[in-house]
Amino acid sequence: MFNHSLTMPIPEFVTYCRNVFTPVTNICRNRCGYCGFRRDPEDPQAQLMSMDEIVPILKKGYESGCTEALFTFGESAEEVPEYRYWLYEKGYSSTLEYLMELCKTAIDNGLLPHTNAGVLDKKQLKMLKPLNASMGLMLETISKLDAHENSPGKIPEKRIETIKSAGQLKIPFTTGILVGIGETENDRIESLNEIRKLHEKYGHIQEVIIQNFTPKPGTPMSNYTSPSLSTMSETVSYAREILPDDVTVQVPPNLTDPYLLIKKGASDLGGISPTTIDWINPESEWPNIVELENIIPNIPLKERLPIHPIYIQKGWYSDQLSKIIDNLADENGYRKT
């Protein structure tokens, strides 16, 4: 079915989004075997960021030309009693209430929110939709793996339900698969086919990330090896062949060789921040735009917003976001130069 010896046509341009990455909390109910982000409440690095900590990050991001405020969370942190206490101490009754306030604050500071808060139900998504230009949740895999043994939020059906609900609500959505966590080649193909089916039904998946596992010190999978470049190339090829043409294939340029994977069908580099690190992979610095232009020779880079042009044209955003989008987007839906 697949011929991965072929190089795909080089795209006319490669897109990216300038963002500010805010890791609101690293408290999480899941204990994934590969995660270096999660912390227990008693850990000195455990946190629930305050508004006073977050606002300067947003302001600096705006001043540095960012368009996206990326808010990331550990999943369902409210299942952890200490976290609930921290939340109440800050004056909020729920993570959702705090997140909505954060999104409003980002909008007030000229940024378009993109929330990645793990598994959410349809009611939560509906409340967040007007305040988010786009949202995201990695499917990771449709297979049940040892790496997810202690992670109730990584049950594939739960993640598929969140992605499905986002589609029903017409939320521009980012998802993806994680390569090298114990899944098989066929698992990757089936995961991509599941994403394809969801998009064919709801038309809301704007990009699919093909992300390689990288081992983190102190985790159960610290001695595992990252997937080979050939495995990543093959998986990007699968993605480009399986997914509809209007779904962009994204690869993180700080974790792998983006030029090789662009030649296999990727055409987006995701969020790149001039002011914040990749808090999920802090050991891997984002290249700056000049470095990217050198890494990807002869292919122009084009900046986009967190909401892709097709969804701007469809009007899949709220009145709360229209002023910012009108100010930032050109006539084709990309970032004004």
Side-chain angles (χ1 to χ4, degrees):
M1 177 182 173
F2 301 105
N3 185 350
H4 301 298
S5 63
L6 298 177
T7 297
M8 302 293 285
I10 297 295
E12 182 183 348
F13 52 82
V14 172
T15 51
Y16 72 96
C17 182
R18 211 180 298 252
N19 77 4
V20 56
F21 191 146
T22 309
V24 182
T25 186
N26 50 16
I27 302 297
C28 184
R29 69 172 172 179
N30 298 324
R31 293 179 178 272
C32 301
Y34 46 80
C35 181
F37 177 71
R38 181 197 179 280
R39 294 289 183 272
D40 287 315
E42 62 274 13
D43 190 307
Q45 293 181 312
Q47 68 173 17
L48 171 60
M49 295 181 74
S50 69
M51 191 68 78
D52 287 344
E53 292 174 296
I54 291 171
V55 168
I57 295 171
L58 298 175
K59 288 183 181 296
K60 186 177 180 182
Y62 176 78
E63 290 164 2
S64 302
C66 298
T67 64
E68 173 187 345
L70 170 62
F71 293 119
T72 61
F73 291 74
E75 184 176 278
S76 299
E78 283 167 282
E79 293 185 14
V80 180
E82 292 92 337
Y83 171 86
R84 292 200 303 271
Y85 176 74
W86 297 349
L87 195 62
Y88 299 153
E89 252 192 338
K90 287 178 169 52
Y92 298 95
S93 62
S94 67
T95 299
L96 182 64
E97 181 188 3
Y98 187 34
L99 175 52
M100 291 176 71
E101 189 69 23
L102 290 174
C103 290
K104 290 172 186 173
T105 303
I107 293 166
D108 289 344
N109 281 278
L111 296 172
L112 295 168
H114 172 97
T115 292
N116 193 331
V119 170
L120 298 171
D121 63 32
K122 194 170 185 179
K123 182 179 178 182
Q124 292 170 318
L125 289 167
K126 189 173 184 178
M127 293 178 74
L128 289 166
K129 175 183 172 167
L131 301 171
N132 279 268
S134 57
M135 296 182 68
L137 176 71
M138 291 287 280
L139 174 59
E140 295 196 9
T141 180
I142 61 162
S143 57
K144 293 180 171 62
L145 304 178
D146 290 345
H148 292 153
E149 184 181 1
N150 298 308
S151 302
K154 295 299 174 76
I155 295 170
E157 290 78 10
K158 289 186 178 181
R159 301 180 86 75
I160 290 167
E161 187 62 29
T162 293
I163 300 169
K164 175 183 172 183
S165 295
Q168 292 169 338
L169 292 168
K170 291 185 164 54
I171 297 172
F173 209 76
T174 297
T175 188
I177 64 171
L178 190 52
V179 181
I181 55 172
E183 82 294 343
T184 65
E185 179 183 21
N186 190 61
D187 290 335
R188 294 175 210 134
I189 293 170
E190 289 306 308
S191 298
L192 290 164
N193 275 314
E194 182 63 39
I195 293 170
R196 174 185 56 79
K197 287 187 285 186
L198 286 161
H199 181 73
E200 285 176 345
K201 187 163 186 178
Y202 301 108
H204 67 307
I205 295 173
Q206 53 181 10
E207 59 198 359
V208 172
I209 305 168
I210 309 300
Q211 182 170 330
N212 49 308
F213 156 78
T214 59
K216 301 289 188 292
T219 64
M221 294 174 65
S222 61
N223 294 324
Y224 284 52
T225 57
S226 299
S228 66
L229 206 47
S230 63
T231 296
M232 292 303 296
S233 298
E234 181 182 73
T235 308
V236 168
S237 295
Y238 287 150
R240 190 61 283 162
E241 291 181 51
I242 290 169
L243 297 169
D245 290 343
D246 60 340
V247 176
T248 302
V249 176
Q250 179 188 124
V251 292
N254 60 327
L255 299 181
T256 188
D257 178 351
Y259 187 51
L260 175 63
L261 300 184
I262 286 164
K263 291 190 285 186
K264 292 296 182 178
S267 61
D268 187 82
L269 302 174
I272 298 168
S273 180
T275 62
T276 55
I277 65 170
D278 178 349
W279 286 100
I280 306 301
N281 301 284
E283 73 285 353
S284 302
E285 286 187 29
W286 276 306
N288 62 42
I289 303 308
V290 173
E291 289 169 336
L292 274 177
E293 288 171 339
N294 293 328
I295 293 168
I296 306 169
N298 307 319
I299 307 174
L301 295 177
K302 181 174 281 196
E303 188 176 352
R304 59 168 176 82
L305 309 184
I307 176 172
H308 284 221
I310 186 173
Y311 298 100
I312 294 176
Q313 292 160 9
K314 288 181 176 182
W316 279 27
Y317 57 90
S318 69
D319 291 343
Q320 289 100 310
L321 303 177
S322 59
K323 183 179 178 182
I324 298 177
I325 290 174
D326 290 345
N327 286 339
L328 292 175
D330 65 18
E331 66 276 9
N332 296 314
Y334 293 96
R335 174 77 183 272
K336 284 179 183 173
T337 54

